[in-house]
Amino acid sequence: MNVSYQQAAEFLLQSDDFVILCHQNPDGDTLGSGYALWNALTNLGKRAVIRCSDPVPHKLRHVTAGYREEPFEPKTVVSVDIADEQLFGEGISEYLSKVDLAVDHHASHAFFAKRVLLEPDAAANCEIICQLIRELGAPFTPQIAACLYTGMATDTGCFKFSNTTPRTHRLAAEMMEAGCDYAAISRAIFDAKSAGEFAIEREALNSLEVHFGGKAALIVLTQDMYRRCGVTEAEADGLSGLPRKLEGVEVGIAIKERGPGEYKISMRSAEYVNVSELCRVFGGGGHLRAAGCSINGTLDEVKTLILGAVGRVLEETV
Amino acid sequence: MNVSYQQAAEFLLQSDDFVILCHQNPDGDTLGSGYALWNALTNLGKRAVIRCSDPVPHKLRHVTAGYREEPFEPKTVVSVDIADEQLFGEGISEYLSKVDLAVDHHASHAFFAKRVLLEPDAAANCEIICQLIRELGAPFTPQIAACLYTGMATDTGCFKFSNTTPRTHRLAAEMMEAGCDYAAISRAIFDAKSAGEFAIEREALNSLEVHFGGKAALIVLTQDMYRRCGVTEAEADGLSGLPRKLEGVEVGIAIKERGPGEYKISMRSAEYVNVSELCRVFGGGGHLRAAGCSINGTLDEVKTLILGAVGRVLEETV
């Protein structure tokens, strides 16, 4: 059942002993939503805990400031920024089919909860949480502002993606006025890099190859490079977007060694190549402009296979 | 003489045949200011040209859309985002001591013009131009919005730097409503990189030095590197922000060779060092968290001088 902001707020005000669920592999929007709501409910004198299948990434740890847990028997389950129960993950599977209120902004929302507060035009779920907290009559503390700013900034790629709206900017302005340290938050989530991340980026740039008259670019990341730079595969994952940033590149390819003779390939396209289809040839898939697949073989074999497929598609679409 | 928005607008409305001056090595804010003002004045039926010592960088070329020049005898000189006549450069030196109105947001403004519209709290000079255009009663066309958005986004590092204010976000929202293609602009100015820019970034990463227990980081950019990578100084200018991105760094330093024995230093701080004061020691200036100066000598001499000054400040502020 779809509910309005007022109905969602009334439900929260009448309930207590909350479990707030965030999606697996959590990003700034699900965590910002969850921790903002935790702060708002706690400030209203209610009890709440947050549950997520995976830990809070290092760059987002500021959203957890002030968080604490007391033991209590959960009575009310709220999910934030979760489009589908498949995104619960193992760690919170006990709450499957038990969500009392889902707050979400995905157009693909699967309506798994008793009540759904859905606004698919919101750039970030945190925009909805912002309005919901206003409706609850809870004060916008600096910590709540920090959580909500984090979600809005991350889900819009720092206000750059085409989902950003004038409302996103105006709410960001309000969060700044509510006292969040947006500059420190932005540095942490967008700019700050460890020495290892700098080192692996340099190595990735050194591996950059350009093919097909500049229409494709490729980098290689190996286990040796991760070891040498002291980074995890997850920390290096953002580099998958690097080859497509080269001007004129339609297909950006990152070949990432998983183990001996095992490679994961990430592909990004700029404007017209369907990389999801391209990756399906190798048993993979994904989105139109961002997809992946796995191939076993030597690095040279993998490169030849991938470049062959990319070359054919680029030729067809010229 | 300081003038108000109303006085500046009255002066512009009473004048005609404008030369609009942008600073050398132009960035998004000086060009966004200049081209927005050109559009506004032209839409009011006036004649204007834009002059700058250096060409418009490739990724900012969208601000020039619709720009055209007719021959006329210039009568009124307006400078935008120029703190000091030293930033005119050779190409516009004929206008030295001839500026009728300077519109600027640098706290270090040198008051070289007959009239000065100065707002040092503005994150971007484009915020001032925005208010000035409102005062002129000129319409906010999509092209003017694109110019002003460009200046606000670039001077705040995409709304991330601590100079960003709630007003910056609210004006960005207004520019979006006025019809600028902010997503395409953001891709062009923040994400797309030429092969030369990739190459110079790699060289800059190779030059990275860390000092004072990780509190300062430094890169060097030389004319040799520009030549080797096939980029202009302006195209490499964005790299000034790179050293501060290293986690734990308070002061990021970029030493940029301008000519034999001539260096320009860009400094950025994260949280507490006043780099404007730091640069003033060497005859430079700028903003609290982003400033610059020029020093002549060998690279080693320049490095020693700068690191000495940075080390002293870091010691004092511990």
Side-chain angles (χ1 to χ4, degrees):
Chain A
M1 184 183 79
N2 272 301
V3 295
S4 66
Y5 279 101
Q6 206 193 333
Q7 288 170 321
E10 271 168 20
F11 171 73
L12 292 175
L13 290 171
Q14 286 159 8
S15 309
D16 202 349
D17 298 340
F18 296 91
V19 180
I20 301 168
L21 306 179
C22 298
H23 64 67
Q24 64 184 5
N25 296 319
D27 57 15
D29 198 25
T30 196
L31 292 172
S33 293
Y35 283 86
L37 189 57
W38 181 88
N39 275 279
L41 292 172
T42 306
N43 293 342
L44 289 171
K46 296 183 181 285
R47 289 190 293 201
V49 292
I50 299 174
R51 291 288 174 261
C52 181
S53 286
D54 300 295
V56 174
H58 181 69
K59 298 183 180 237
L60 293 169
R61 66 196 185 286
H62 61 272
V63 301
T64 67
Y67 180 74
R68 64 197 179 279
E69 291 195 0
E70 298 165 56
F72 65 84
E73 197 57 50
K75 286 200 210 92
T76 318
V77 183
V78 181
S79 71
V80 288
D81 196 39
I82 304 185
D84 199 297
E85 287 191 322
Q86 286 175 14
L87 300 167
F88 276 33
E90 285 296 311
I92 58 170
S93 57
E94 64 188 289
Y95 299 106
L96 287 168
S97 314
K98 288 185 186 158
V99 178
D100 297 294
L101 170 66
V103 182
D104 191 27
H105 74 127
H106 292 91
S108 59
H109 186 84
F111 291 93
F112 53 83
K114 292 197 194 84
R115 298 161 194 79
V116 179
L117 175 59
L118 179 70
E119 215 194 311
D121 291 337
N125 198 61
C126 276
E127 293 187 15
I128 308 177
I129 298 289
C130 191
Q131 179 60 24
L132 183 59
I133 289 177
R134 220 191 299 276
E135 200 73 37
L136 284 172
F140 279 98
T141 63
Q143 181 58 22
I144 289 178
C147 291
L148 296 176
Y149 182 91
T150 298
M152 294 177 205
T154 49
D155 249 33
T156 58
C158 202
F159 311 102
K160 287 186 303 198
F161 298 162
S162 56
N163 63 339
T164 317
T165 68
R167 178 175 76 171
T168 318
H169 278 286
R170 293 196 172 104
L171 291 177
E174 278 187 52
M175 295 308 104
M176 287 168 71
E177 285 163 345
C180 77
D181 189 352
Y182 62 94
I185 293 170
S186 299
R187 263 200 315 282
I189 57 184
F190 295 115
D191 287 344
K193 287 180 190 170
S194 66
E197 285 171 310
F198 263 102
I200 191 91
E201 186 170 340
R202 189 171 53 202
E203 296 221 17
L205 281 169
N206 282 329
S207 79
L208 187 75
E209 293 174 18
V210 178
H211 294 274
F212 309 117
K215 289 217 173 99
L218 175 152
I219 59 167
V220 176
L221 298 169
T222 64
Q223 293 291 329
D224 236 29
M225 286 160 70
Y226 299 141
R227 253 191 307 273
R228 212 165 30 231
C229 302
V231 296
T232 63
E233 288 183 42
E235 282 167 339
D237 216 51
L239 293 172
S240 300
L242 192 145
R244 191 185 49 186
K245 290 185 180 171
L246 182 58
E247 267 170 9
V249 164
E250 174 57 26
V251 182
I253 307 154
I255 301 183
K256 299 177 279 189
E257 186 188 19
R258 301 301 308 270
E262 276 178 57
Y263 292 91
K264 186 176 184 303
I265 290 91
S266 287
M267 257 191 242
R268 304 283 157 87
S269 63
E271 281 173 13
Y272 53 87
V273 169
N274 183 338
V275 286
S276 173
E277 241 173 49
L278 230 162
C279 286
R280 213 169 300 138
V281 175
F282 302 103
H287 305 285
L288 198 64
R289 302 273 172 258
C293 60
S294 296
I295 307 183
N296 296 345
T298 68
L299 179 57
D300 275 348
E301 285 165 358
V302 172
K303 226 188 240 184
T304 305
L305 272 173
I306 286 292
L307 286 174
V310 168
R312 275 190 296 280
V313 169
L314 283 172
E315 218 162 74
E316 280 162 22
T317 47
V318 158
Chain B
M1 184 184 77
N2 273 302
V3 294
S4 66
Y5 278 101
Q6 205 193 335
Q7 289 169 320
E10 271 168 19
F11 171 74
L12 292 174
L13 290 171
Q14 285 158 10
S15 309
D16 202 349
D17 297 342
F18 296 92
V19 179
I20 301 168
L21 305 180
C22 297
H23 65 68
Q24 64 184 4
N25 295 323
D27 57 14
D29 198 25
T30 196
L31 292 172
S33 294
Y35 282 86
L37 189 58
W38 180 88
N39 276 279
L41 292 172
T42 306
N43 293 342
L44 290 170
K46 297 184 181 284
R47 290 190 294 201
V49 292
I50 299 173
R51 291 288 175 262
C52 180
S53 286
D54 301 293
V56 174
H58 182 69
K59 53 182 64 183
L60 293 168
R61 67 197 185 287
H62 61 273
V63 300
T64 67
Y67 180 75
R68 62 199 181 277
E69 291 195 1
E70 299 165 55
F72 65 83
E73 197 57 51
K75 287 201 208 90
T76 318
V77 183
V78 181
S79 71
V80 288
D81 196 40
I82 304 185
D84 198 295
E85 287 191 321
Q86 286 174 14
L87 300 167
F88 277 35
E90 285 296 311
I92 59 170
S93 58
E94 65 188 289
Y95 300 106
L96 287 168
S97 313
K98 288 185 187 156
V99 177
D100 297 295
L101 172 66
V103 182
D104 191 27
H105 73 126
H106 292 91
S108 59
H109 186 84
F111 291 92
F112 53 84
K114 293 196 193 87
R115 297 161 194 81
V116 179
L117 175 60
L118 180 69
E119 215 195 309
D121 291 336
N125 198 60
C126 276
E127 293 186 14
I128 309 177
I129 298 289
C130 191
Q131 179 61 21
L132 184 59
I133 288 176
R134 220 189 299 273
E135 199 74 37
L136 285 171
F140 280 98
T141 63
Q143 181 57 22
I144 289 179
C147 291
L148 296 176
Y149 182 90
T150 298
M152 295 177 206
T154 50
D155 249 32
T156 58
C158 202
F159 312 102
K160 287 184 303 199
F161 299 162
S162 57
N163 63 340
T164 315
T165 67
R167 179 174 76 171
T168 318
H169 277 285
R170 292 195 173 104
L171 291 176
E174 279 187 50
M175 295 307 104
M176 286 168 72
E177 286 163 345
C180 77
D181 188 352
Y182 63 94
I185 292 171
S186 299
R187 261 199 316 280
I189 58 185
F190 294 114
D191 288 342
K193 286 181 190 168
S194 68
E197 286 171 310
F198 264 101
I200 191 97
E201 186 169 339
R202 188 172 52 201
E203 296 221 16
L205 280 170
N206 283 329
S207 79
L208 187 76
E209 292 175 18
V210 178
H211 295 273
F212 309 117
K215 289 215 173 101
L218 176 152
I219 58 166
V220 176
L221 298 169
T222 65
Q223 293 291 330
D224 235 30
M225 286 161 70
Y226 299 141
R227 255 192 305 275
R228 214 166 27 230
C229 302
V231 297
T232 63
E233 288 182 40
E235 283 167 340
D237 217 49
L239 292 172
S240 301
L242 191 144
R244 192 184 48 185
K245 291 183 180 172
L246 183 58
E247 267 170 9
V249 164
E250 172 60 24
V251 181
I253 307 153
I255 301 184
K256 299 175 278 189
E257 186 188 20
R258 302 301 309 271
E262 275 178 58
Y263 292 91
K264 186 175 184 305
I265 290 89
S266 287
M267 255 190 244
R268 303 284 159 85
S269 62
E271 281 173 13
Y272 53 86
V273 169
N274 182 338
V275 287
S276 174
E277 241 174 47
L278 230 161
C279 287
R280 212 171 297 139
V281 175
F282 301 104
H287 306 287
L288 197 65
R289 302 274 173 261
C293 60
S294 296
I295 307 183
N296 294 345
T298 67
L299 178 57
D300 276 347
E301 286 166 357
V302 172
K303 227 188 241 185
T304 306
L305 271 172
I306 286 292
L307 286 174
V310 169
R312 275 189 296 281
V313 169
L314 283 173
E315 217 161 75
E316 280 163 20
T317 47
V318 159

